[in-house]
């Protein structure tokens, strides 16, 4: 009897906790003074009369209605956990002891590492709940059902442990997560060009087992990207997805079309508001024919923040969102793998080469006995003449031609170095051959150098 009475007391305490929690937030609403301050990528519920949201002003009534929706959603989640129906209605055959144990387990339930029980007052709980609310236009019942479906799916799919799952090396060249954009969002790259022909697609997707493995890999990538998020006020709580269609022949097999639809639907259904922006680059003609002119994609672009870039606009488009020091060299940035010369904190400078003219970049080299290292990249198509030259301060010394390309059309970042044996300057001359100006990005630094004759072995 004593054991039974303790469990009853625990149940009463849980209900009292829920009632107190609901009373507190109801009192806040009645007084018109929400105590919660949230700053996420998408929303803010601070007290000013209007707040910016996607570049627009939000009225105080709109802000208030959204806050009420959040409060109601908190209560629904709290009640469903303490009432043991978050994951569905429990069986009537379950004993009281089993029910109490299930409630204790639900109190510890997490989503993306964030506790869902609102009364725990975790700083990330409201941020997660807001994602479901926003995905359903702040309709609490629909958001709650979406949350329940997501939690059930994660349990069945075993998503919580999928990051540690070994899915082999077949998909290693299809995606990677690296660096961040200007606002701090992790960058999630998808390389669809790796599936450029039917043979490769069949190798990866030729059986039902392989297709299921592909979907698990797709979810694994998303879960790895989520591990880079903070889920806290003022933090970055979503990722930027970059889809590269270079050399992609399109969805040429029904297997590829099938797994693409399924994986995309999983992201829509169970990862709401976790993709801050989709940037689709190197878009071929087939993509435009198949999608861009369809009314469905136009509506989706407005809602999902989709940016599309043709091959000639890839670098300029990505640089709108990604700092050049974080953009890989293959996309026209300055980021190189395993770079031991430059680091993200090294300053990047910008100059503009006027149309049909030559721009000279001067790098002073007053100190001798060091090596000067520099990076240069031209935004967009190159079509330039390019020359690097060392000019000494002493007029009696000879100039040194380091590099000279009269017609450089190949893109990508140029990196070079030169040992400074006397004071002078490095002059990089960029001749713009086109009738429109070009943006040039560059950086440089010196590094200590021991002359070869002074080394001991």
């Amino acid at each position: 009897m004593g054991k039974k009475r303790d469990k009853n007391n625990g149940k009463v305490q849980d209900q009292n906790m829920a009632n107190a929690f609901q009373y507190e937030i109801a009192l806040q609403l009645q007084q018109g003074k929400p105590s919660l301050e949230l700053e996420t990528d998408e929303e803010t519920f601070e007290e000013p009369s209007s707040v910016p949201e996607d570049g627009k002003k939000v009225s105080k009534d709109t802000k208030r209605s959204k806050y009420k929706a959040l409060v109601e959603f908190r209560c629904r989640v709290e009640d469903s956990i303490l009432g043991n129906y978050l994951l569905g209605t429990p069986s009537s055959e379950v004993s009281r002891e089993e029910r109490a144990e299930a409630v204790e387990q639900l109190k510890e339930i997490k989503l993306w590492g964030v506790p869902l029980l609102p009364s725990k007052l975790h700083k990330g709980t409201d941020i997660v709940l807001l994602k479901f609310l926003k995905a359903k236009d702040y309709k609490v019942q629909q958001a709650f059902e979406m949350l329940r479906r997501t939690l059930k799916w994660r349990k069945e799919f075993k998503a919580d442990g999928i990051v540690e799952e070994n899915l082999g090396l077949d998909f290693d060249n299809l995606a990677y997560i690296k660096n961040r954009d200007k606002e701090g969002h992790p960058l999630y790259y998808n390389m669809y060009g790796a599936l450029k022909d039917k043979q490769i697609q069949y190798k990866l997707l030729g059986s039902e087992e392989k297709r299921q493995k592909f979907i698990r890999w797709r979810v694994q990538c998303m879960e790895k990207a989520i591990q880079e998020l903070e889920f806290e006020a003022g933090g970055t709580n979503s990722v930027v997805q970059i889809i590269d269609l270079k050399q992609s022949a399109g969805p040429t097999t029904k297997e590829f079309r099938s797994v693409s639809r399924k994986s995309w639907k999983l992201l829509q259904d169970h990862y709401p508001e976790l993709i801050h922006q989709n940037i689709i680059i190197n878009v071929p003609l087939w993509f435009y024919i198949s999608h861009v002119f369809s009314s469905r994609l136009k509506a989706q672009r407005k809602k999902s923040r989709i940016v599309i870039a043709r091959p000639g606009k890839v670098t300029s488009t990505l640089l709108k969102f990604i700092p050049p020091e974080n953009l890989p060299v293959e996309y026209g940035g300055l980021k190189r793998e395993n770079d031991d010369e430059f680091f993200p904190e090294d300053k990047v400078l910008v100059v503009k080469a006027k149309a049909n003219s030559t721009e000279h970049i001067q790098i002073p080299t007053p100190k001798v006995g060091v090596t000067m290292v520099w990076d240069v990249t031209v935004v967009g198509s190159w079509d330039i003449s390019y020359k690097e030259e060392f000019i000494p301060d002493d007029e009696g010394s000879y100039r040194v031609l380091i590099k000279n390309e009269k017609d450089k059309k190949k893109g990508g970042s140029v990196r070079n170095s030169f040992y400074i044996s006397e004071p002078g300057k490095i002059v990089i001359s960029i001749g713009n051959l086109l009738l429109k100006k070009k943006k040039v990005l560059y950086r440089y630094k010196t590094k200590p150098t021991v002359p070869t004759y002074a080394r001991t072995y």
Side-chain angles (χ1 to χ4, degrees):
M1 291 296 291
K3 183 177 181 180
K4 184 175 181 180
R5 188 161 46 248
D6 289 341
K7 290 187 176 181
N8 286 335
N9 289 338
K11 184 176 180 181
V12 171
Q13 289 174 1
D14 288 342
Q15 189 60 49
N16 289 340
M17 182 186 298
N19 291 340
F21 178 72
Q22 295 176 31
Y23 175 77
E24 179 183 351
I25 52 184
L27 185 61
Q28 292 175 15
L29 285 176
Q30 184 179 7
Q31 295 174 344
K33 297 180 179 179
S35 62
L36 173 69
E37 291 186 358
L38 272 181
E39 293 181 4
T40 73
D41 292 334
E42 295 84 10
E43 292 292 342
T44 174
F45 286 102
E46 296 177 355
E47 189 56 27
S49 58
S50 61
V51 294
E53 180 185 8
D54 299 331
K56 299 179 180 178
K57 289 290 184 179
V58 181
S59 68
K60 191 170 184 176
D61 289 341
T62 301
K63 181 188 69 172
R64 198 166 198 63
S65 67
K66 290 180 177 181
Y67 183 79
K68 287 182 178 180
L70 174 60
V71 170
E72 184 181 343
F73 195 21
R74 287 177 186 163
C75 295
R76 290 293 300 273
V77 173
E78 183 89 13
D79 286 345
S80 66
I81 290 176
L82 299 182
N84 192 28
Y85 63 88
L86 178 62
L87 302 179
T89 305
S91 172
S92 58
E93 298 179 358
V94 175
S95 67
R96 185 174 296 177
E97 289 78 8
E98 291 173 329
R99 181 185 179 91
E101 183 179 352
V103 170
E104 290 303 315
Q105 292 177 353
L106 276 180
K107 287 180 182 180
E108 303 304 319
I109 193 168
K110 295 181 179 180
L111 179 56
W112 308 315
V114 177
L116 288 180
L117 185 66
S119 56
K120 281 182 176 290
L121 302 179
H122 188 276
K123 57 187 177 182
T125 302
D126 284 327
I127 294 174
V128 170
L129 297 183
L130 274 169
K131 291 185 178 298
F132 287 87
L133 274 176
K134 189 173 183 181
K136 293 302 180 181
D137 296 324
Y138 293 88
K139 296 179 175 62
V140 176
Q141 179 60 32
Q142 294 182 22
F144 180 69
E145 292 301 327
M146 184 183 191
L147 175 62
R148 294 179 72 180
R149 288 192 298 269
T150 294
L151 294 173
K152 291 178 184 177
W153 168 79
R154 292 184 67 85
K155 185 176 181 180
E156 296 169 358
F157 197 80
K158 299 180 181 179
D160 286 336
I162 200 169
V163 170
E164 306 300 328
E165 195 170 326
N166 183 10
L167 297 175
L169 304 176
D170 293 341
F171 308 112
D172 278 3
N173 61 339
L174 298 183
Y176 60 88
I177 302 160
K178 193 168 295 182
N179 302 317
R180 293 178 178 256
D181 72 353
K182 293 179 179 179
E183 298 177 352
H185 301 97
L187 300 174
Y188 173 25
Y189 291 85
N190 292 266
M191 318 302 291
Y192 278 19
L195 296 170
K196 58 186 176 182
D197 55 45
K198 291 183 179 181
Q199 288 76 15
I200 296 177
Q201 291 184 29
Y202 183 79
K203 178 184 177 181
L204 297 180
L205 308 170
S207 67
E208 181 61 28
E209 180 182 355
K210 291 181 178 179
R211 290 190 287 273
Q212 290 302 318
K213 186 177 179 181
F214 178 91
I215 292 175
R216 291 195 68 79
W217 165 80
R218 188 70 175 85
V219 171
Q220 185 185 65
C221 287
M222 192 64 194
E223 291 289 326
K224 287 181 178 179
I226 290 173
Q227 288 186 338
E228 301 294 321
L229 304 180
E230 289 92 356
F231 292 110
E232 60 184 28
T236 51
N237 307 308
S238 55
V239 304
V240 169
Q241 181 172 238
I242 299 171
I243 301 174
D244 189 352
L245 299 180
K246 186 177 182 180
Q247 297 182 342
S248 174
T252 54
T253 66
K254 65 179 181 180
E255 291 83 7
F256 183 62
R257 291 193 295 270
S258 174
V259 295
S260 294
R261 284 195 297 266
K262 288 180 180 178
S263 58
W264 188 258
K265 190 174 187 305
L266 282 179
L267 295 183
Q268 286 183 319
D269 291 347
H270 305 305
Y271 294 90
E273 301 297 319
L274 281 167
I275 296 180
H276 175 72
Q277 191 132 45
N278 285 289
I279 306 176
I280 308 175
I281 60 175
N282 288 312
V283 174
L285 183 60
W286 67 261
F287 186 91
Y288 274 105
I289 295 174
S290 302
H291 298 284
V292 171
F293 295 113
S294 69
S295 58
R296 178 179 180 183
L297 182 60
K298 287 180 180 178
Q300 187 183 18
R301 285 182 67 181
K302 184 177 180 181
K303 183 177 181 180
S304 302
R305 301 177 185 174
I306 294 180
V307 176
I308 295 177
R310 293 280 284 158
K313 297 289 185 181
V314 170
T315 302
S316 58
T317 299
L318 291 177
L319 285 174
K320 292 179 182 178
F321 308 98
I322 305 170
E325 61 270 21
N326 284 350
L327 183 64
V329 291
E330 56 265 32
Y331 294 125
L334 299 174
K335 177 66 178 178
R336 297 174 184 268
E337 288 296 313
N338 303 317
D339 194 353
D340 58 357
E341 301 286 3
F342 288 96
F343 303 95
E345 57 268 22
D346 291 325
K347 186 177 181 180
V348 176
L349 304 172
V350 182
V351 297
K352 291 184 179 180
K354 296 180 180 179
N356 197 25
S357 66
T358 300
E359 182 70 29
H360 301 286
I361 298 174
Q362 297 188 15
I363 302 175
T365 59
K367 188 176 180 180
V368 300
V370 298
T371 296
M372 181 64 69
V373 185
W374 61 89
D375 267 343
V376 181
T377 188
V378 177
V379 178
S381 61
W382 281 57
D383 295 314
I384 61 171
S385 64
Y386 184 86
K387 183 170 70 172
E388 299 172 346
E389 190 176 18
F390 173 72
I391 302 177
D393 289 342
D394 186 351
E395 295 181 357
S397 297
Y398 291 101
R399 294 187 175 194
V400 179
L401 182 62
I402 303 171
K403 177 180 287 191
N404 188 19
E405 298 184 39
K406 294 182 178 180
D407 188 11
K408 183 172 176 58
K409 294 183 178 294
K410 184 180 178 181
S413 172
V414 173
R415 174 171 293 182
N416 212 343
S417 62
F418 187 77
Y419 178 73
I420 308 302
S421 59
E422 60 179 311
K425 59 187 173 183
I426 303 291
V427 178
I428 301 173
S429 301
I430 298 175
N432 184 3
L433 308 178
L434 300 181
L435 296 178
K436 60 180 181 179
K437 63 183 178 181
K438 286 183 173 291
K439 182 185 291 186
V440 181
L441 308 174
Y442 71 100
R443 59 183 174 180
Y444 61 89
K445 68 189 307 182
T446 59
K447 65 176 184 178
T449 304
V450 178
T452 304
Y453 63 82
R455 297 175 185 172
T456 58
Y457 298 92

